[in-house]
Amino acid sequence: MAIKVCKFGGTSMADGNIIKSVKKIIESDPERKYIVVSAPGKRYSGDTKVTDLLYACYKSLTENGVCAAGFAPVRARFESLVRELNMNIDIDDVLDATEKRIDEEKSEDFTASRGEYLCAWVVSKVLGAKFIDSENVVYFKENGKLDGERTYKAIKEACADCELAVFPGFYGQDINGKVKTFSRGGSDISGAIVARAMQASLYENWTDVSGFLACDPRIVDSPKPIKKLSYKELRELSYMGANVLHSDSIFPVRKANIPIQIKNTFRPQDEGTSILPSSRYMPAGNTVTGVAGKKNFTVIFIEKSLMNAEIGFIAKVLEVLARENISVEHIPSGIDTMSLVIASEQLTDFKLQRIIEGIQTEVSPDTVRIIENIALIATVGQGMSSSVGTSARLFNAIAAANINIKMIDQGSSEMNIIVGVKNDDYEKCIRAIYSEFFTSAPCE
Ligand code: ADP
Ligand code: ASP
Ligand code: MG
């Protein structure tokens, strides 16, 4: 029988009643055998996610020496969730043991991981399924990357004797045997890892929207859903800020060609989005698949006559950044100019000053200019390379909205064009691009 791995996100775990609908979804398809869950998310706008409560709990532990005060709201959240389930599940011992271990471990990652741990424990009781603690099956290497070989083997072994299993997402074990989390939103990666380990025919990612939308629904009202997306497009869009799926979740499934289906827990009848290996994907005819973006970048603009003829120029500039341990997002360049686009959170004033001085010493440029508070917006589509005039349409739409473009970078894959605009123009620019490519033409 084909196997599906299903990951349910935070809003799908928010309270006991929603977990009852999740149970129905799982039980309606016998192929749904391996379940990965996030920590309970927000129940209403203004509510706090359990993971955020846990980060605050860790802070209170460092301040008070014990976590009791910070753990109280987490305890209350799980107690009410279990009450709503009406299922005679006794969670008190597990909560007590968790609180005790948080005090002993004194680790931020360990504390943050307990939302997924407790949630998976509850869901395993609800489903009558085996609980497999990711601490014992997901392994990180010394460099912090996933130890795929060891992890896939351990997951397979743990699942050998079970029909239905539940895993907590978001964490695993480092080389010192300590719990380590992925970055925020990382349960999507855990789901992909279990899918790869179990050679699933499909990785279903259940969330609170009916699939990947052509842009962020918090910026444009009801954007069009995207029915099909290639792995490559997914990577570009999610990396650039479409956080419906963690941008790293693609890696475990890509090697095994496992498709991903994004589904809505609250509207399971909706088709959602299929994310397919690029070889099985045909662009649907529309040039642009989606638009995504992120705020808060700094651009270092460097100008020097005959820069292009100077051997090793770029290497010397990048060496200055490497010395400061700074990663560069994009490097658009011309014959006499280059720009370095850097996430501002990496740069303190002091570091920026040292970088500018380093560049001046190493390559003696004519000008070095800093442009701060830049938002990057990526317009993505595998069909873009074969359609004429896309960039003209894009730039005209942005100009018509009276937005000044500070930087342009066309990816060498020709499946994206990235523009840099002022942070303040970010939402307006996304709306202008969306309206140019999606409101007149039908979206597949
Ligand atoms: P989960 O808790 O299920 O992992 P997330 O909150 O991480 O869910 O991701 C789903 C959210 O991503 C949506 O509620 C939506 O607000 C946001 N989002 C941002 N960009 C997009 C997009 N292009 N398509 C769909 N959702 C998006
Ligand atoms: N609970 C974690 C977070 O809030 C992981 C996840 O939801 O995927 O980031
Ligand atoms: Mg998420």
Side-chain angles (χ1 to χ4, degrees):
M1 184 172 47
I3 288 170
K4 290 178 186 159
V5 168
C6 306
K7 178 258 170 175
F8 289 89
T11 355
S12 310
M13 293 289 127
D15 68 32
N17 290 316
I18 307 174
I19 294 180
K20 284 183 200 164
S21 347
V22 166
K23 176 175 159 71
K24 279 200 195 128
I25 290 172
I26 294 167
E27 290 176 348
S28 68
D29 182 347
E31 292 182 354
R32 296 185 175 131
K33 281 161 128 349
Y34 303 109
I35 315 300
V36 176
V37 300
S38 283
K42 292 183 184 185
R43 292 160 292 185
Y44 44 84
S45 100
D47 194 15
T48 311
K49 286 175 157 197
V50 165
T51 308
D52 292 321
L53 292 177
L54 285 161
Y55 280 114
C57 172
Y58 176 70
K59 199 161 169 272
S60 90
L61 168 68
T62 55
E63 284 160 8
N64 308 321
V66 287
C67 75
F71 193 68
V74 178
R75 181 183 283 275
R77 200 58 211 270
F78 278 98
E79 281 170 351
S80 80
L81 186 148
V82 163
R83 255 194 319 276
E84 285 150 2
L85 285 165
N86 286 325
M87 276 187 65
N88 202 17
I89 297 172
D90 186 1
I91 195 173
D92 290 338
D93 288 351
V94 185
L95 286 169
D96 291 343
T98 302
E99 184 178 331
K100 186 161 171 275
R101 205 172 149 204
I102 290 176
D103 280 340
E104 287 162 5
E105 295 275 339
K106 298 202 181 340
S107 138
E108 186 171 41
D109 277 21
F110 179 81
T111 310
S113 73
R114 293 305 91 181
E116 272 71 13
Y117 171 85
L118 291 166
C119 191
W121 184 86
V122 171
V123 173
S124 72
K125 298 287 167 217
V126 170
L127 296 173
K130 181 175 177 185
F131 169 71
I132 301 178
D133 191 347
S134 303
E135 182 180 352
N136 305 322
V137 289
V138 174
Y139 295 101
F140 292 97
K141 291 195 272 200
E142 192 166 7
N143 61 7
K145 298 247 157 60
L146 180 80
D147 184 342
E149 215 172 296
R150 191 169 172 211
T151 297
Y152 301 139
K153 187 164 169 278
I155 293 176
K156 254 197 126 111
E157 279 169 15
C159 290
D161 61 345
C162 70
E163 277 298 293
L164 190 62
V166 184
F167 297 78
F170 192 37
Y171 69 93
Q173 184 191 119
D174 70 12
I175 49 153
N176 300 313
K178 294 285 175 194
V179 163
K180 173 178 160 58
T181 61
F182 291 103
S183 57
R184 295 299 303 266
S187 299
D188 291 329
I189 310 173
S190 312
I193 290 170
V194 176
R196 166 76 180 277
M198 299 314 294
Q199 286 150 332
S201 58
L202 185 65
Y203 169 28
E204 285 184 343
N205 190 291
W206 291 82
T207 182
D208 60 354
V209 280
S210 291
F212 225 101
L213 306 170
C215 73
D216 189 332
R218 291 162 295 190
I219 298 175
V220 168
D221 202 21
S222 311
K224 293 190 172 161
I226 304 170
K227 282 190 188 163
K228 286 196 178 86
L229 207 58
S230 68
Y231 283 169
K232 281 188 190 156
E233 289 171 328
L234 166 74
R235 173 86 181 133
E236 301 272 354
L237 285 168
S238 55
Y239 183 75
M240 281 303 295
N243 54 4
V244 60
L245 202 65
H246 192 295
S247 56
D248 290 350
S249 26
I250 194 74
F251 299 118
V253 288
R254 189 171 62 183
K255 270 232 160 98
N257 279 334
I258 301 167
I260 308 171
Q261 185 78 20
I262 313 258
K263 295 280 287 176
N264 188 346
T265 302
F266 304 90
R267 292 186 55 87
Q269 69 280 14
D270 289 355
E271 191 181 332
T273 301
S274 295
I275 299 158
L276 300 165
S278 303
S279 57
R280 281 162 60 184
Y281 168 82
M282 289 288 289
N286 43 329
T287 327
V288 172
T289 307
V291 184
K294 290 197 267 195
K295 285 185 177 177
N296 298 327
F297 289 89
T298 298
V299 179
I300 304 178
F301 174 82
I302 308 170
E303 195 169 16
K304 185 173 185 190
S305 302
L306 300 175
M307 181 192 284
N308 62 328
E310 192 172 321
I311 292 177
F313 187 95
I314 295 181
K316 284 184 208 152
V317 170
L318 293 182
E319 179 52 38
V320 173
L321 292 159
R323 276 206 306 264
E324 296 294 335
N325 207 16
I326 298 284
S327 63
V328 187
E329 210 82 10
H330 298 282
I331 314 178
S333 58
I335 6 174
D336 294 334
T337 62
M338 77 182 280
S339 297
L340 303 158
V341 185
I342 298 166
S344 307
E345 61 186 7
Q346 296 187 81
L347 296 166
T348 54
D349 283 351
F350 187 55
K351 257 196 181 178
L352 192 53
Q353 195 49 43
R354 266 206 317 249
I355 290 169
I356 297 169
E357 283 163 13
I359 292 173
Q360 275 158 343
T361 316
E362 294 293 334
V363 295
S364 315
D366 301 335
T367 327
V368 183
R369 210 154 25 93
I370 305 296
I371 315 167
E372 289 182 295
N373 301 318
I374 292 295
L376 297 184
I377 298 172
T379 304
V380 175
Q382 216 159 292
M384 271 164 63
S385 58
S386 55
S387 84
V388 180
T390 312
S391 24
R393 276 178 74 189
L394 176 70
F395 301 140
N396 282 336
I398 298 174
N402 215 5
I403 297 166
N404 188 1
I405 300 179
K406 300 276 187 191
M407 182 216 88
I408 297 170
D409 191 12
Q410 173 149 26
S412 45
S413 62
E414 285 188 42
M415 56 179 285
N416 69 18
I417 300 174
I418 295 170
V419 294
V421 299
K422 284 197 298 200
N423 273 347
D424 290 348
D425 285 332
Y426 173 70
E427 282 85 2
K428 197 166 139 201
C429 189
I430 296 240
R431 283 189 210 108
I433 300 171
Y434 179 81
S435 124
E436 170 64 32
F437 290 101
F438 292 93
T439 50
S440 45
C443 177
E444 276 296 306

